[in-house]
Amino acid sequence: CVCVCVCVCCRGGVLMAGIFPQDPALPIGSTLTATCSVSPDLGLHASSLFWSLNGRRLPSSSYSVLSPTALSVTLPGLPASRQRSGDNLVCHNHGGHVLAGSCLYIGMPPVKPVNLTCWSRNTKDLTCRWAPGGQGETFIKTKYTLKYKLRWYGRERECEEYSAAQPYSCYIPRDLALFTPYEIWVEATNQLGSATSDVITLDILDVVTTDPPTGVSVSRVGNLEDHLSVRWESPPALKDFLFQAKYQIRYRLEDNSDWKVMDDVGNLTSCRLAGLRPGTVYFVQVRCNPVGIYGSRRAGIWSEWSHPTAASTPHSDRVLSGSCDSKSGDSNSTLRRELKQFFGWVRNNAYGCGGMSIKLYDQWRVWMQKSHKTRNQVLQGDKS
């Protein structure tokens, strides 16, 4: 239901009936007395008229006949408008025909907008988003205006491209200066007043973000049962800009909603996840933060996470058997034994310090897994 506030009783272009006040805006809890006045030419007496609010007939006990052509109604303790377009207060003749109507806007002044944030995707544009203060819209349609200006000079300007999909956001597509801070704020107005957000100050280069990294792939590392390799490509939108990107990776088990985040990826476009469960499906995501665009000293804004990419670790061939909790001494002995095995294997398979690499470590892990598999097959043969 939308309030339509028009003169509906006219003759030859002359107003034959009307309501005063017309389309009032009042705070919640107010008392309103409205008067319906009709032209004597209609041949109607005020006592034959009646009122309705949002289609519901109001009780005659709230009426007062002011004159043969004027009937008032008093509405105490008005509640908030049911719709932001206003509530319908209508004056009818005795047959129910509409003589005149008025829209009632009952609400509160706007509350200061909050959580104003802005970001740029190409160093030339700016998108800003905010939230209405308090409980949101105050029962009356509120207009939000994003304003901005250069901090030390320049005239105040208004953003023009508001989003229908995101009602509390606006896009500034061009004509923005670099290396100069902007002051940005939001003004909220309705029939009862206005409110202004806190002013934020920013340099475009300090709020640059990117699209998520593309081409994310996750694959196994040979036969290593607890490793996965993750690779991705830099976001294409900023390839022409001078910046040093840094990345984050997060991953989770297929049947678990908790993500584990790796913060130390740096500017690499590949990474290895270790210490994973054998024979398990993992979901992996990557995001990017542009750092130091055009020499800016501040980090940019993290992008959204890439779409999840899934891969599984190889199944383990080890025979697992129940055992009691081992003591710390047993753990140290096991570590010393494995280190001794590794360095012994290095002496037989590598030449010089250059052979000490992650690739060599991988080869040793594969050799260890094969040794476990062979030993388990022998044990199973003995049991049979």
Side-chain angles (χ1 to χ4, degrees), residues 14-273:
V14 178
L15 178 66
M16 304 299 290
I19 294 178
F20 178 84
Q22 184 68 40
D23 307 339
L26 301 168
I28 294 173
S30 298
T31 296
L32 171 69
T33 297
T35 302
C36 176
S37 300
V38 296
S39 171
D41 295 340
L42 289 177
L44 299 174
H45 193 277
S47 61
S48 67
L49 310 181
F50 71 89
W51 293 88
S52 71
L53 180 62
N54 293 328
R56 182 178 61 85
R57 185 165 178 163
L58 296 173
S60 58
S61 58
S62 59
Y63 304 168
S64 294
V65 177
L66 304 181
S67 72
T69 57
L71 178 70
S72 69
V73 64
T74 299
L75 304 174
L78 287 168
S81 295
R82 296 183 182 180
Q83 53 202 22
R84 290 193 299 163
S85 60
D87 291 339
N88 292 279
L89 180 64
V90 179
C91 177
H92 305 260
N93 67 10
H94 63 278
H97 295 291
V98 174
L99 297 176
S102 178
C103 289
L104 308 184
Y105 300 97
I106 314 301
M108 297 182 294
V111 181
K112 181 176 76 173
V114 295
N115 300 333
L116 175 60
T117 57
C118 303
W119 64 93
S120 173
R121 289 193 178 275
N122 58 16
T123 73
K124 299 176 182 178
D125 67 353
L126 197 66
T127 301
C128 295
R129 183 179 299 165
W130 61 92
Q135 298 178 352
E137 298 285 356
T138 53
F139 309 104
I140 303 178
K141 184 175 178 59
T142 300
K143 178 183 178 182
Y144 292 91
T145 305
L146 179 75
K147 296 185 177 182
Y148 62 99
K149 70 180 184 69
L150 292 171
R151 185 175 186 181
W152 294 299
Y153 56 90
R155 61 184 179 85
E156 180 181 299
R157 305 179 67 177
E158 294 185 5
C159 180
E160 298 179 354
E161 296 190 20
Y162 294 89
S163 171
Q166 298 286 342
Y168 306 116
S169 67
C170 195
Y171 175 64
I172 305 172
R174 58 191 174 275
D175 300 330
L176 292 170
L178 300 181
F179 308 106
T180 304
Y182 278 90
E183 292 182 347
I184 304 174
W185 67 96
V186 177
E187 294 181 359
T189 58
N190 65 19
Q191 293 100 317
L192 293 176
S194 63
T196 302
S197 71
D198 293 334
V199 178
I200 64 172
T201 303
L202 57 85
D203 189 309
I204 305 300
L205 294 180
D206 293 335
V207 293
V208 176
T209 187
T210 72
D211 293 323
T214 59
V216 179
S217 63
V218 185
S219 58
R220 296 179 178 182
V221 182
N223 292 324
L224 293 180
E225 60 198 25
D226 60 349
H227 281 56
L228 287 174
S229 176
V230 185
R231 296 182 180 277
W232 60 91
E233 297 177 6
S234 298
L238 288 179
K239 284 187 175 179
D240 295 333
F241 293 96
L242 180 62
F243 75 103
Q244 184 72 43
K246 64 178 180 179
Y247 299 94
Q248 277 185 341
I249 294 177
R250 70 177 186 178
Y251 60 95
R252 66 174 175 84
L253 298 172
E254 180 182 26
D255 57 354
N256 194 324
S257 59
D258 295 330
W259 293 91
K260 182 176 181 180
V261 178
M262 294 183 61
D263 290 317
D264 56 351
V265 180
N267 64 343
L268 302 175
T269 55
S270 65
C271 185
R272 181 173 297 184
L273 305 179

Side-chain angles (χ1 to χ4, degrees), residues 318-332:
R318 299 183 184 182
V319 173
L320 301 178
S321 59
S323 62
C324 299
D325 293 337
S326 60
K327 299 179 180 179
S328 59
D330 296 335
S331 300
N332 293 335

